Amino acid sequence: MKKGEIYEGVIEKVDFPNKGIVITDGQKVTVKNGMPGQKVRFMINKKRSGRAEGRLLEVLEKSPLETREQVCSIFPECGGCMYQTMSYENQLKMKECQVRELLDGALNGTDYQWEGIHGSPIEFRYRNKMEFSFGDAYKDGPLTLGLHKKGSTYDVLTADDCQLVHEDMTKILTCVHEYFLKRNVSYYKKMQHTGYLRHLLLRRGVTTGEILVHVITTSQEEHDLESLKEELLALPLEGKIVGIMHIINDSLSDVVQSDETRILYGQDFFYETLLGLRFKISTFSFFQPNSLAAEVLYSIVREYIGDTKDKVVFDLYSGTGTIAQLAASVADEVIGVEIVEEAVEAAKQNAALNDLSNCKFIAGDVLKVLDDLTEKPDVIILDPPRDGIHPKALPKILSYGVDHIVYISCKATSLWQTIGMYIGMMVGFLYPQIGLGLGMLWGIALGRLVLTKIPVNTPLAQRAQQKSAIILILAFLILFMNHWYVPCKHAIAHLMN
């Protein structure tokens, strides 16, 4: 087997996040972007250290799991909703197996109880935020607006029937696309760094129907967008546009950011409601992209942290403070720590919006802030970035010896590493019973891990409460529906005495 050679084979399984496994001539080959049971043709593009990777060229035969038709016009070229021809139930089973295998490795043979899977409240049109790119589907072709073609950083497919978002969003996309197409306006070419149109960013409150529209361009050209504003406001939408922004972005990198924001209409924020609390969300505020699934997630988080009456809660990596505020309604005090200052300000505003006076948010690095905090927590909530908790921060967190730790992770492999570090730091603790439950949502999986630990005579054990319980709630955001996101899910783990 050599690089450049072409082979055929059947994908036997798919490992996390989307690594199909094909056995050819006794050699294991990883082929991305396929599904179990498909017969595929692939070309070897990497071969070293006994490992081989192949690039998918063609699906020769469908998988027996492909029991339904595609739901959008650009499948499978888009590569976003890779598994849409597989039933939702089989998607759940596949993701369950992927995460369970990761945890098997992390727990190193420890017995545990599997608790099953829960589905998303809605399968399609769930996203409250979407970034679309301007470009063309082929070199020098007509203007397109949508998602990148699978495996390409340049070709863009018009996603006017995308099933990830509410129909209001696809109507807005079509309006904006046709407006600039008729006027022959240029798009930004990343290699030459020339052109005008870059992205269309849409945000829509699932519970409120409030919509923000952001047209992102360079400053290389000037266009009067007044008529575009009028066309957008005239659209027959189920929801309501509350803000239209023109964002100037001259950055060389292909990211959505603002050098200047011009409000063409209304305001630069909208409201969303979760579990009875109201949240003000601006253009770049982080918010879980599946609002209804977030309610399921946060409900379980709240259930697993238990009774927090008269207790102090630390929400570390708190973001805009969504979870902190849900905990604050039943806690004595909640202290949130977040390194992004803008997110901290948003958290303070939302706490005030919900009349929560027992929330305090601190801007800073968790690793450093913990050294300065004088308060002692009874419960700790962790929601770190994709790469997980800094190895130096975890011992500090564990040294509090609290009854409950809630951990939210947006990457399954980060979960695997964190559990490995946790068990390594818990040398001298015995784990006679471990129970795990995982529930995947469309874009989110939920799980519960229950560890009963017996502390023995170690320095760390002496700092921890005797027979204390640690709750890990793991949320993996697997947005496998979008081409620029790696497949991810939400999971919840619960470690208790």
Side-chain angles (χ1 to χ4, degrees):
M1 185 174 289
K2 297 179 181 178
K3 186 176 178 180
E5 291 182 340
I6 295 176
Y7 293 86
E8 295 179 2
V10 176
I11 297 176
E12 297 188 3
K13 58 178 291 193
V14 177
D15 288 340
F16 182 86
N18 64 337
K19 299 177 180 178
I21 304 301
V22 181
I23 306 297
T24 301
D25 297 336
Q27 172 77 53
K28 176 181 174 181
V29 184
T30 299
V31 181
K32 294 182 178 180
N33 300 322
M35 83 173 52
Q38 285 181 335
K39 184 177 181 180
V40 297
R41 179 178 289 120
F42 57 93
M43 181 175 68
I44 303 299
N45 57 359
K46 288 184 182 180
K47 179 72 164 61
R48 56 172 176 253
S49 303
R51 293 183 296 178
E53 293 184 15
R55 179 169 62 87
L56 180 65
L57 300 176
E58 182 183 2
V59 176
L60 301 174
E61 295 179 12
K62 284 187 174 184
S63 166
L65 298 175
E66 294 182 83
T67 56
R68 61 184 185 182
E69 297 300 317
Q70 66 190 64
V71 296
C72 76
S73 60
I74 57 176
F75 175 86
E77 290 81 12
C78 168
C81 312
M82 288 167 38
Y83 305 115
Q84 64 175 262
T85 54
M86 184 191 296
S87 72
Y88 185 42
E89 291 74 18
N90 282 325
Q91 292 180 47
L92 291 170
K93 291 177 183 178
M94 183 177 70
K95 189 56 57 179
E96 177 184 20
C97 290
Q98 290 176 350
V99 177
R100 191 169 181 177
E101 284 186 6
L102 284 172
L103 292 172
D104 283 342
L107 295 171
N108 196 27
T110 305
D111 291 335
Y112 62 88
Q113 178 182 353
W114 193 258
E115 295 183 350
I117 290 271
H118 305 279
S120 171
I122 55 175
E123 182 179 356
F124 297 109
R125 301 194 182 280
Y126 64 87
R127 288 189 62 88
N128 56 43
K129 176 185 178 182
M130 198 69 171
E131 297 172 7
F132 296 105
S133 298
F134 287 96
D136 53 25
Y138 53 89
K139 185 175 175 60
D140 299 324
L143 180 71
T144 55
L145 175 58
L147 305 175
H148 284 271
K149 188 179 293 185
K150 181 168 55 181
S152 173
T153 57
Y154 301 103
D155 300 339
V156 175
L157 305 169
T158 295
D160 53 11
D161 62 346
C162 179
Q163 298 299 302
L164 284 174
V165 296
H166 192 277
E167 191 176 359
D168 283 353
M169 289 191 179
T170 53
K171 287 181 179 179
I172 291 170
L173 179 146
T174 299
C175 175
V176 172
H177 178 221
E178 291 179 351
Y179 178 88
F180 289 114
L181 184 63
K182 290 176 184 177
R183 289 160 178 78
N184 198 30
V185 179
S186 67
Y187 72 89
Y188 180 74
K189 296 184 177 180
K190 290 178 282 190
M191 294 297 291
Q192 294 91 336
H193 305 302
T194 59
Y196 181 67
L197 298 167
R198 299 194 68 160
H199 298 94
L200 175 67
L201 169 61
L202 303 178
R203 305 199 70 160
R204 183 185 188 277
V206 173
T207 60
T208 63
E210 296 181 349
I211 303 168
L212 293 184
V213 180
H214 311 82
V215 178
I216 296 97
T217 75
T218 68
S219 62
Q220 295 179 24
E221 301 175 16
E222 283 292 336
H223 295 271
D224 185 0
L225 301 181
E226 182 66 22
S227 54
L228 173 61
K229 181 190 78 172
E230 297 303 325
E231 287 189 25
L232 287 170
L233 294 175
L235 289 173
L237 304 176
E238 181 181 315
K240 178 183 179 182
I241 294 175
V242 296
I244 301 174
M245 270 67 68
H246 178 201
I247 294 178
I248 310 300
N249 176 18
D250 286 320
S251 169
L252 296 181
S253 59
D254 189 29
V255 296
V256 175
Q257 65 180 47
S258 175
D259 296 331
E260 178 189 353
T261 298
R262 303 170 184 173
I263 299 179
L264 306 180
Y265 169 80
Q267 61 204 34
D268 62 352
F269 61 89
F270 71 100
Y271 290 101
E272 184 72 298
T273 302
L274 289 182
L275 299 176
L277 295 179
R278 200 164 182 235
F279 295 93
K280 179 181 177 181
I281 305 167
S282 59
T283 299
F284 296 109
S285 296
F286 173 77
F287 200 77
Q288 297 288 2
N290 187 337
S291 297
L292 299 181
E295 287 196 319
V296 177
L297 170 65
Y298 297 148
S299 294
I300 299 176
V301 170
R302 211 157 54 174
E303 174 189 344
Y304 285 170
I305 63 176
D307 182 13
T308 55
K309 184 178 180 182
D310 301 324
K311 293 183 179 180
V312 176
V313 178
F314 279 9
D315 183 8
L316 308 181
Y317 313 96
S318 57
T320 54
T322 309
I323 299 175
Q325 292 171 67
L326 292 169
S329 60
V330 289
D332 182 59
E333 182 182 19
V334 178
I335 299 173
V337 181
E338 168 60 46
I339 197 168
V340 180
E341 293 186 5
E342 293 83 355
V344 172
E345 290 305 312
K348 292 177 180 177
Q349 292 178 19
N350 283 324
L353 182 67
N354 290 300
D355 296 323
L356 296 172
S357 59
N358 60 337
C359 286
K360 179 171 74 173
F361 295 98
I362 302 170
D365 188 338
V366 167
L367 186 62
K368 298 177 181 178
V369 171
L370 288 181
D371 291 332
D372 299 326
L373 284 175
T374 57
E375 295 88 347
K376 299 299 180 183
D378 300 294
V379 177
I380 296 176
I381 300 170
L382 303 169
D383 189 3
R386 290 186 55 78
D387 291 335
I389 300 172
H390 193 287
K392 292 182 179 179
L394 189 56
K396 293 183 180 182
I397 294 165
L398 294 176
S399 69
Y400 282 110
V402 300
D403 286 341
H404 298 85
I405 294 179
V406 177
Y407 183 101
I408 299 174
S409 170
C410 58
K411 191 176 181 182
T413 47
S414 293
L415 157 66
W416 178 83
Q417 293 168 350
T418 300
I419 288 180
M421 285 193 299
Y422 172 79
I423 292 177
M425 291 173 184
M426 289 283 113
V427 173
F429 281 70
L430 301 176
Y431 298 88
Q433 179 185 359
I434 297 179
L436 175 71
L438 177 71
M440 166 186 155
L441 305 176
W442 185 266
I444 293 190
L446 301 171
R448 179 175 64 176
L449 178 61
V450 183
L451 281 181
T452 301
K453 65 177 187 175
I454 302 176
V456 296
N457 190 24
T458 65
L460 184 58
Q462 291 171 356
R463 289 194 295 269
Q465 294 181 0
Q466 196 75 352
K467 296 183 180 179
S468 66
I470 292 187
I471 296 180
L472 287 176
I473 295 193
L474 313 158
F476 309 59
L477 260 168
I478 303 207
L479 311 171
F480 58 82
M481 305 294 292
N482 299 334
H483 72 287
W484 60 86
Y485 292 115
V486 299
C488 66
K489 300 279 166 198
H490 275 229
I492 296 182
H494 180 199
L495 295 75
M496 60 181 294
N497 195 1

